[in-house]
């Protein structure tokens, strides 16, 4: 089962979603209570905006099996972010972060949510947290750009109007 899960993750990285989903569905046929497979499938669907409500159902089942798993909580928070329910996203992502404080993606999702809620100081705090734990260069670049955009956005919003 672990090898199948790993193979599904490799297919996911190569954007071979059909192959990845097929493997995950086979895992779930044998073990319908595999919280990690449920979460993987649900998060992938949500992240790609593919059958997003079906993805949420997989994530909710995973949460019912492992309510204290920060990665699964992150997936539900990401669902709420994607459908623009930022208050619900914040609740789930804050809980996820309290369970897994060293995960780059969870910190980044939390920062993005604070940014949408116009809480820029908190957004900055969590972007910096994400950057602190980041090990992948492409992620470092993405988070650094988000921080720069956040600085630009804050300056733009605080600029005084020109005098007449």
């Amino acid at each position: 089962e672990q090898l199948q899960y790993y193979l599904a993750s490799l297919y996911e990285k190569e954007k071979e979603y059909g192959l990845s989903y097929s493997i995950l569905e086979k895992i779930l046929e044998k073990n319908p209570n595999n919280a990690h497979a449920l979460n993987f499938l649900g998060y992938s669907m949500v992240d790609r905006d593919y059958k997003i409500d079906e993805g949420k159902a997989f994530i909710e089942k995973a949460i019912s099996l492992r309510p204290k798993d920060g990665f699964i909580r992150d997936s539900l928070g990401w669902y709420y972010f994607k459908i623009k329910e930022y208050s619900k996203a914040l609740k789930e992502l804050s809980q996820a972060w309290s369970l897994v404080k060293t995960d780059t993606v969870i910190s980044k999702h939390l920062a993005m949510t604070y940014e949408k809620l116009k809480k820029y100081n908190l957004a900055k705090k969590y972007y910096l947290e994400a950057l602190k734990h980041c090990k992948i260069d492409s992620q470092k670049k993405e988070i650094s750009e988000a921080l720069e955009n956040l600085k630009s956005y804050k300056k733009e919003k605080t600029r005084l109007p020109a005098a007449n």
Side-chain angles (χ1 to χ4, degrees):
E1 198 170 272
Q2 285 180 326
L3 288 175
Q4 288 177 317
Y5 188 86
Y6 180 69
L7 182 58
S9 70
L10 291 176
Y11 280 131
E12 181 84 8
K13 285 179 183 167
E14 293 299 315
K15 298 184 180 1
E16 294 287 346
Y17 303 111
L19 294 170
S20 177
Y21 291 1
S22 176
I23 292 169
L24 291 168
E25 288 168 352
K26 286 177 187 169
I27 291 171
L28 291 169
E29 279 176 25
K30 291 178 188 171
N31 180 4
N33 292 324
N34 183 320
H36 294 292
L38 288 162
N39 183 55
F40 183 146
L41 186 57
Y43 181 85
S44 176
M45 294 169 84
V46 166
D47 194 47
R48 294 185 326 104
D49 295 317
Y50 173 76
K51 297 184 180 180
I52 194 167
D53 291 324
E54 189 177 324
K56 179 190 180 207
F58 286 124
I59 294 165
E60 287 177 327
K61 183 172 181 185
I63 285 176
S64 74
L65 297 166
R66 297 191 61 142
K68 300 273 187 219
D69 187 309
F71 298 102
I72 299 172
R73 289 274 168 203
D74 172 69
S75 296
L76 186 57
W78 192 236
Y79 166 81
Y80 287 124
F81 182 91
K82 295 285 272 186
I83 64 165
K84 298 178 171 60
E85 289 192 28
Y86 302 120
S87 297
K88 288 181 180 181
L90 181 61
K91 179 181 177 231
E92 291 298 330
L93 294 168
S94 295
Q95 188 172 357
W97 193 83
S98 73
L99 294 165
V100 188
K101 293 182 178 174
T102 58
D103 185 73
T104 301
V105 174
I106 293 172
S107 297
K108 182 179 83 169
H109 286 169
L110 192 51
M112 292 169 70
T113 302
Y114 276 122
E115 188 173 354
K116 290 291 186 183
L117 292 169
K118 296 181 171 66
K119 295 183 178 186
Y120 302 114
N121 289 336
L122 288 168
K124 179 182 176 183
K125 173 186 173 181
Y126 288 102
Y127 277 131
L128 290 172
E129 278 294 318
L131 203 53
K132 182 168 68 173
H133 299 291
C134 200
K135 293 174 179 64
I136 301 168
D137 287 337
S138 61
Q139 281 184 328
K140 285 179 186 176
K141 183 180 180 215
E142 178 188 344
I143 293 165
S144 295
E145 288 173 1
L147 270 167
E148 283 304 311
N149 289 338
L150 184 63
K151 287 178 192 174
S152 300
Y153 186 73
K154 281 175 68 176
K155 284 179 189 172
E156 188 178 293
K157 288 294 188 183
T158 56
R159 200 174 285 150
L160 296 174
N164 291 334

